[in-house]
Amino acid sequence: MELDRGKEYLVRRISPNETYENLIAFPRYLEIETVNACNARCPMCTIDDWQRKTPTMSFELFKKIAAEVSQHSNEIKRISLYRDGEPLIDKKLADRVALLKEGGIKNVGISTNVSLLTASKAKDLLTAGIDTVILSIDSLKKEVFESIRVRLNFEEVLENALGLIKLRNQIRPQTQIWVRMIRQESNKDEWPEYNEYWSKKISAHDRVYFHNIFNWGGQLNRFKPISNSYELGLPCVALWSLLVIFANGDVPLCNVDYNNKYPTGSVATHSIQEVWQSKVMNERRDHHLKGQKKCISLCENCNVWDEAVDRENISSQYSEALSLQ
């Protein structure tokens, strides 16, 4: 009975119009890390602890991935071209977006710290068909912003963000822009002002939201929560919805497993479907369904599903919590 309730919860949360068997057939969301490098040093990031040595995904491997996902374009809800780096460092990013769109992927997106989002890069992405751009801007106050997004310039980021909105309106109005704050101790009281400012700048189909800082499965040093998690006793939706692919093709446990502590397989040597339906994935799902998260150290106290801005609509927003902080 408990297993059935867990499965019903997962279907309701991830894709209410499908069955449990549909979810374990192929991932509904993918995060493909095309570059593992970043020009910022943010306190809510684990970059100083990264141990992987493949900075950029080869286009050959990317084409292999693109060929397989194109066969599942009707099932996939979104492919995000980022994970633990700043995607705009990738000089071939627009080409990768175009290849996925040619393969019929309905929603291709990125999350960016905005510092490298020049007019030229914005035009290239919009022309390639980018569907969703998440702008990670944590404050409207220069001092606070630059204390969070270390090495970035507030004025430059703001100019790039406003420039993207203008170009989007001209080139590809259907592209969605999500403006996101990672809410933490230094900016936790800014949300009303922040929301009001950005809501006036964007279109009706765009979004402004915050996500509370999370602990990366207990791996973030000096982590200081600003709210209590309400998800710790539930099976994690990531194991039934999200496949993360690192630049070398390795697949980790999930989006918080940045050093691949719990290897799942590799799409360089196997198909995405084989990895998704593998014995190790199903064993992890069983642990979660049976209330045995603590068997996996990263899952035991992970609060990636900490409180979102609009809890009643969380089923359509859950992937935001998977976005790079």
Side-chain angles (χ1 to χ4, degrees), residues 28-297:
R28 294 302 180 259
Y29 295 82
L30 292 96
E31 288 184 354
I32 304 173
E33 175 193 77
T34 70
V35 62
N36 180 230
C38 191
N39 60 330
R41 292 296 182 273
C42 307
M44 64 281 194
C45 181
T46 57
I47 189 169
D48 291 335
D49 191 37
W50 293 357
Q51 297 171 10
R52 292 183 287 112
K53 306 298 182 184
T54 305
T56 307
M57 178 177 285
S58 71
F59 213 78
E60 181 180 3
L61 175 57
F62 188 82
K63 287 192 289 185
K64 177 182 185 294
I65 295 168
E68 183 175 1
V69 297
S70 69
Q71 298 173 21
H72 297 270
S73 59
N74 290 331
E75 304 151 52
I76 294 172
K77 294 179 180 291
R78 183 184 307 130
I79 293 182
S80 302
L81 296 180
Y82 61 88
R83 179 54 266 151
D84 290 334
E86 168 50 50
L88 292 175
I89 293 175
D90 181 3
K91 295 179 180 180
K92 296 183 178 179
L93 184 61
D95 294 334
R96 300 185 202 265
V97 172
L99 186 60
L100 292 176
K101 294 304 295 181
E102 289 169 8
I105 303 302
K106 295 183 286 294
N107 194 325
V108 179
I110 63 167
S111 172
T112 173
N113 65 33
V114 197
S115 64
L116 303 177
L117 191 57
T118 62
S120 176
K121 289 184 178 180
K123 289 177 183 176
D124 287 345
L125 288 170
L126 291 166
T127 301
I130 193 84
D131 297 291
T132 305
V133 181
I134 301 175
L135 306 178
S136 289
I137 304 173
D138 302 309
S139 177
L140 291 173
K141 300 176 181 178
K142 176 180 173 65
E143 182 177 349
V144 175
F145 174 87
E146 293 182 358
S147 72
I148 296 174
R149 299 285 167 172
V150 178
R151 298 186 181 181
L152 305 189
N153 177 273
F154 173 72
E155 289 85 3
E156 183 176 57
V157 166
L158 186 63
E159 180 181 356
N160 288 347
L162 296 175
L164 172 69
I165 294 170
K166 182 177 180 180
L167 285 170
R168 184 280 307 270
N169 294 343
Q170 297 170 351
I171 298 173
R172 197 172 190 273
Q174 66 267 40
T175 294
Q176 290 189 318
I177 295 175
W178 295 1
V179 187
R180 180 189 60 197
M181 168 196 286
I182 301 300
R183 189 167 167 263
Q184 51 202 283
E185 192 65 30
S186 60
N187 65 2
K188 65 181 181 180
D189 297 323
E190 290 187 42
W191 171 248
E193 178 185 356
Y194 181 98
N195 185 35
E196 181 179 9
Y197 175 86
W198 286 110
S199 295
K200 293 177 180 178
K201 302 293 184 183
I202 58 176
S203 300
H205 71 299
D206 297 328
R207 303 194 56 237
V208 185
Y209 69 103
F210 71 78
H211 179 66
N212 290 331
I213 186 173
F214 58 84
N215 65 4
W216 290 89
Q219 300 177 97
L220 182 63
N221 294 328
R222 300 179 301 279
F223 171 71
K224 185 177 181 179
I226 60 170
S227 69
N228 294 321
S229 172
Y230 64 93
E231 292 283 4
L232 291 178
L234 297 172
C236 180
V237 293
L239 294 178
W240 284 265
S241 60
L242 174 72
L243 188 82
V244 174
I245 303 173
F246 288 148
N248 65 350
D250 285 349
V251 177
L253 167 69
C254 64
N255 59 304
V256 304
D257 188 11
Y258 54 85
N259 277 332
N260 202 17
K261 184 177 181 179
Y262 288 90
T264 304
S266 172
V267 299
T269 55
H270 295 80
S271 70
I272 291 172
Q273 189 167 47
E274 286 172 333
V275 174
W276 187 247
Q277 297 177 357
S278 65
K279 178 181 178 181
V280 66
M281 278 294 290
N282 286 324
E283 287 175 347
R284 293 166 182 168
R285 291 171 182 139
D286 284 344
H287 286 317
H288 276 243
L289 284 172
K290 294 175 181 177
Q292 299 170 354
K293 279 186 178 184
K294 63 182 180 181
C295 293
I296 307 170
S297 63

